[in-house]
C-alpha cells in the first residue's frame, strides 16, 4: 500500500493511536497531531518549538521521550490494524499534508517498537542542551524547572521567595527573575503550556493565564483608582476569557463553577506567588486578595 502524505495514511488506516520515532522533531507537528489522536513520540532531537511540545503534553496527553542515537522517522498507526509508515520527520507541514513520499510498507506486527518508545526519559525532565538548544532553549529550561517545583505553603510572598531561592530560574535576583518571567509570558502567551502547578487546586497555571492576568489587572476597575481586581476567582475568570482555547483552560472553567473548588482556588497562594514574580503586580488584603498593577 502507498499513501502520498501522513494525512492520507491516517484517513486510510483510521488509527486510534500513533507511535512515532522522529529525529528531528517539530513541536507544532506534535501539537497538531496530538489534537486528533493519542500520540507517543521518541526523539533524539533536535526538538524545535519545545514550548509547543509542552502544550501537547499538558492538553492532549501526548507522551514525548528522549531516546539517544535515534536517527529515523517511522510512524506506527494503530487502529483496527497496525500499519507502519516510513516518511519525513514529524513537523507541522507533514501533519498538514504538505509533505509527500510516505509509503506504508507493512501492516503486520513488529515486536520491540513500543519498548523503544518507553525506554527514554520524558523531555520535560531534560535540559534543552540535550534537545538541541535553539532560541527557545533557555525559556524551555526555566518553564520545565518551574513546573517541576513542589513548594507547599499558604503565603504567596513566602512561596515566591522560595521559588527564587530554589534556583529554578537560574538566578536569585528578583529584578532579573521578573524580567525573564515576564519575557516568557509575553513571548509564549499563545502557547497554553503549564508554567507552574497549583498544588491546592490540582491544575496547572499556564503561560497565557499569567500574561492575561496582568493585562486584566491593568484594565481592572474594581477599585476607585482603577488598575485593580478583587479576588483570585474573578481574576482567573476574566483572564480565561482572553486566553486561547485549551483543554487545561476548560478544566479551570469547570473548577470555577464548583463551589468547593472555587473556594480552594480563592484561597490558593500559587497564582498570586507567580504574579508577584513577574514584577508587574502587587497583592494586598482587604477582606480577601486585591490585585493591583505595580507602579513602575
Amino acid at each position: 500500500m502507498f499513501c502520498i502524505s501522513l494525512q492520507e495514511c491516517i484517513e486510510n488506516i483510521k488509527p486510534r493511536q500513533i507511535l512515532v520515532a522522529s529525529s528531528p522533531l517539530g513541536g507544532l507537528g506534535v501539537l497538531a497531531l496530538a489534537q486528533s489522536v493519542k500520540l507517543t513520540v521518541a526523539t533524539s532531537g533536535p526538538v524545535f518549538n519545545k514550548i509547543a511540545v509542552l502544550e501537547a503534553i499538558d492538553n492532549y496527553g501526548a507522551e514525548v521521550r528522549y531516546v539517544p542515537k535515534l536517527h529515523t522517522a517511522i510512524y506506527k498507526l494503530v487502529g483496527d490494524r497496525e500499519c507502519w509508515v516510513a516518511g519525513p520527520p514529524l513537523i507541522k507541514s507533514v501533519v498538514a499534508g504538505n509533505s509527500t513520499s510516505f509509503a506504508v510498507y507493512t501492516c503486520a506486527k513488529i515486536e520491540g517498537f513500543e519498548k523503544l518508545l518507553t525506554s527514554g526519559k520524558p523531555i520535560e525532565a531534560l535540559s534543552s542542551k540535550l534537545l538541541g538548544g535553539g532560541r527557545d532553549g533557555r525559556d524551555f529550561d526555566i518553564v520545565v524547572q518551574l513546573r517541576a517545583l513542589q513548594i507547599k505553603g499558604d503565603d504567596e510572598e513566602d512561596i515566591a521567595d522560595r521559588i527564587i531561592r530554589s534556583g529554578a530560574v537560574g538566578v536569585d535576583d528578583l529584578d532579573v527573575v521578573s524580567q525573564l518571567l515576564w519575557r516568557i509570558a509575553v513571548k509564549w502567551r499563545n502557547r497554553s503550556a503549564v508554567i507552574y502547578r497549583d498544588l491546592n487546586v490540582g491544575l496547572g497555571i499556564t503561560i497565557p493565564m499569567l500574561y492575561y492576568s496582568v493585562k486584566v489587572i491593568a484594565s481592572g476597575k474594581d477599585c476607585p483608582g482603577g488598575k485593580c481586581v478583587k479576588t483570585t476567582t474573578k481574576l482567573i475568570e476574566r483572564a480565561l476569557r482572553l486566553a486561547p482555547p485549551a483543554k487545561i483552560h476548560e478544566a479551570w472553567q469547570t473548577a470555577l463553577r464548583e463551589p468547593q473548588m472555587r473556594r480552594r482556588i480563592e484561597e490558593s497562594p500559587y497564582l498570586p506567588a507567580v504574579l508577584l514574580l513577574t514584577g508587574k503586580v502587587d497583592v494586598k488584603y482587604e477582606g480577601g486578595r486585591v490585585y493591583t498593577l505595580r507602579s513602575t
Side-chain angles (χ1 to χ4, degrees):
M1 291 178 292
F2 178 80
C3 46
I4 62 171
S5 70
L6 177 60
Q7 192 59 42
E8 184 178 298
C9 292
I10 291 173
E11 290 173 0
N12 291 342
I13 300 168
K14 297 180 175 57
R16 294 181 296 272
Q17 180 182 13
I18 297 179
L19 299 90
V20 184
S22 177
S23 297
L25 181 68
L28 295 177
V30 172
L31 180 59
L33 194 54
Q35 292 179 47
S36 60
V37 66
K38 183 179 180 182
L39 183 64
T40 302
V41 182
T43 184
S44 293
V47 179
F48 307 106
N49 284 298
K50 289 180 275 294
I51 304 296
V53 175
L54 297 179
E55 182 176 358
I57 292 168
D58 296 335
N59 288 278
Y60 303 104
E63 296 181 30
V64 184
R65 294 177 177 271
Y66 175 82
V67 177
K69 300 179 181 178
L70 183 66
H71 305 293
T72 188
I74 300 175
Y75 300 75
K76 180 182 179 182
L77 280 61
V78 182
D80 294 334
R81 52 184 175 156
E82 294 183 1
C83 296
W84 298 81
V85 182
L90 178 55
I91 57 175
K92 187 178 181 181
S93 63
V94 171
V95 179
N98 299 329
S99 181
T100 58
S101 300
F102 273 88
V104 177
Y105 56 86
T106 183
C107 282
K109 282 185 174 291
I110 297 178
E111 302 296 332
F113 191 64
E114 287 84 352
K115 185 177 180 180
L116 170 69
L117 293 177
T118 57
S119 64
K121 292 184 178 180
I123 70 158
E124 60 265 38
L126 300 172
S127 164
S128 65
K129 292 180 180 178
L130 202 58
L131 302 174
R135 290 179 296 177
D136 61 353
R138 187 178 189 185
D139 293 350
F140 174 84
D141 288 336
I142 292 172
V143 170
V144 295
Q145 290 288 336
L146 285 172
R147 59 194 266 150
L149 292 176
Q150 296 282 317
I151 296 175
K152 296 181 179 180
D154 55 15
D155 179 83
E156 55 264 26
E157 291 186 358
D158 177 60
I159 290 174
D161 181 62
R162 289 161 66 191
I163 290 173
I164 293 173
R165 289 189 283 110
S166 73
V169 185
V171 291
D172 58 6
D173 182 284
L174 177 58
D175 290 337
V176 178
V177 169
S178 297
Q179 291 170 12
L180 291 171
L181 200 57
W182 185 242
R183 181 176 60 82
I184 289 171
V186 172
K187 185 176 181 180
W188 303 108
R189 62 186 181 274
N190 292 321
R191 296 267 69 92
S192 299
V194 170
I195 192 168
Y196 202 86
R197 300 193 186 279
D198 190 317
L199 301 182
N200 285 15
V201 180
L203 292 172
I205 298 165
T206 66
I207 298 172
M209 287 175 65
L210 186 62
Y211 175 80
Y212 286 109
S213 288
V214 174
K215 293 301 178 182
V216 165
I217 294 166
S219 60
K221 298 179 181 178
D222 291 1
C223 302
K227 297 184 179 180
C228 159
V229 174
K230 293 183 177 179
T231 80
T232 303
T233 50
K234 284 183 181 178
L235 176 61
I236 294 175
E237 285 172 333
R238 295 174 189 177
L240 289 174
R241 292 189 196 117
L242 301 174
K247 285 194 173 184
I248 195 163
H249 295 155
E250 291 173 5
W252 276 99
Q253 290 166 335
T254 299
L256 285 163
R257 289 193 291 269
E258 299 173 2
Q260 186 175 358
M261 286 298 292
R262 190 177 180 89
R263 285 194 295 272
R264 289 171 66 177
I265 291 170
E266 189 61 53
E267 294 168 358
S268 178
Y270 292 102
L271 178 62
V274 182
L275 285 171
L276 286 173
L277 290 178
T278 66
K280 302 290 183 181
V281 174
D282 285 319
V283 183
K284 58 184 180 180
Y285 284 82
E286 293 178 3
R289 289 189 181 94
V290 177
Y291 297 86
T292 58
L293 196 68
R294 182 172 296 176
S295 300
T296 56

